[in-house]
Amino acid sequence: FQQFAKPNVLSKDPDVNMLHVFVLGDKQPVEYGVKKLKYMPYHYQHQYFFLIGPPLAIPVFFTIQIFQTMFSQRNWVDLAWSMTFYLRFFCCYYPFFGFFGSVALISFVRFLESHWFVW
């Protein structure tokens, strides 16, 4: 919901808060150029965005951010429901694929979901 409350504000909007991976907008590239922050080859980011951006945005970055928000706001009911999803998922797929196979499956599903969402 923060992306709608404070759109394109670097410290508030999660859509543009992908520091050290992408530089977005008019301000970030200038700030990175002035500070000489060169973590990635930013002049090629238009080529690697769809390989790195969607897989990091939804499956990794947003999931971590959602859990941090639930912990910080002490929203234990939502945390319990989220944990039951992952528990049910691993109970269903662990016997077939093992732990790492289940993690790979949920990562792949989220990867496909994030590409569909972005497009």
Side-chain angles (χ1 to χ4, degrees):
F1 64 91
Q2 282 293 323
Q3 75 183 62
F4 302 113
K6 301 191 190 268
N8 298 330
V9 176
L10 290 179
S11 62
K12 301 292 183 186
D13 186 356
D15 287 343
V16 297
N17 198 15
M18 299 285 288
L19 296 177
H20 308 302
V21 179
F22 300 108
V23 288
L24 304 170
D26 297 328
K27 294 181 182 179
Q28 259 186 340
V30 174
E31 290 175 6
Y32 271 53
V34 169
K35 294 178 183 178
K36 304 276 193 259
L37 297 173
K38 297 178 181 175
Y39 298 106
M40 298 282 287
Y42 299 116
H43 56 291
Y44 293 114
Q45 72 181 7
H46 63 285
Q47 295 174 345
Y48 67 78
F49 174 76
F50 283 103
L51 297 175
I52 296 175
L56 284 179
I58 290 176
V60 178
F61 181 72
F62 288 151
T63 303
I64 291 170
Q65 187 178 29
I66 288 167
F67 277 102
Q68 285 176 341
T69 302
M70 286 187 282
F71 275 115
S72 67
Q73 293 181 355
R74 301 187 197 300
N75 197 345
W76 306 122
V77 174
D78 282 348
L79 182 64
W81 280 110
S82 297
M83 295 308 292
T84 60
F85 165 76
Y86 289 107
L87 181 66
R88 286 180 289 136
F89 182 87
F90 282 106
C91 284
C92 288
Y93 292 106
Y94 181 79
F96 297 110
F97 303 119
F99 178 75
F100 292 111
S102 299
V103 170
L105 177 64
I106 197 166
S107 298
F108 180 69
V109 168
R110 296 287 175 120
F111 172 78
L112 291 178
E113 174 188 51
S114 62
H115 273 79
W116 173 79
F117 178 75
V118 169
W119 279 101

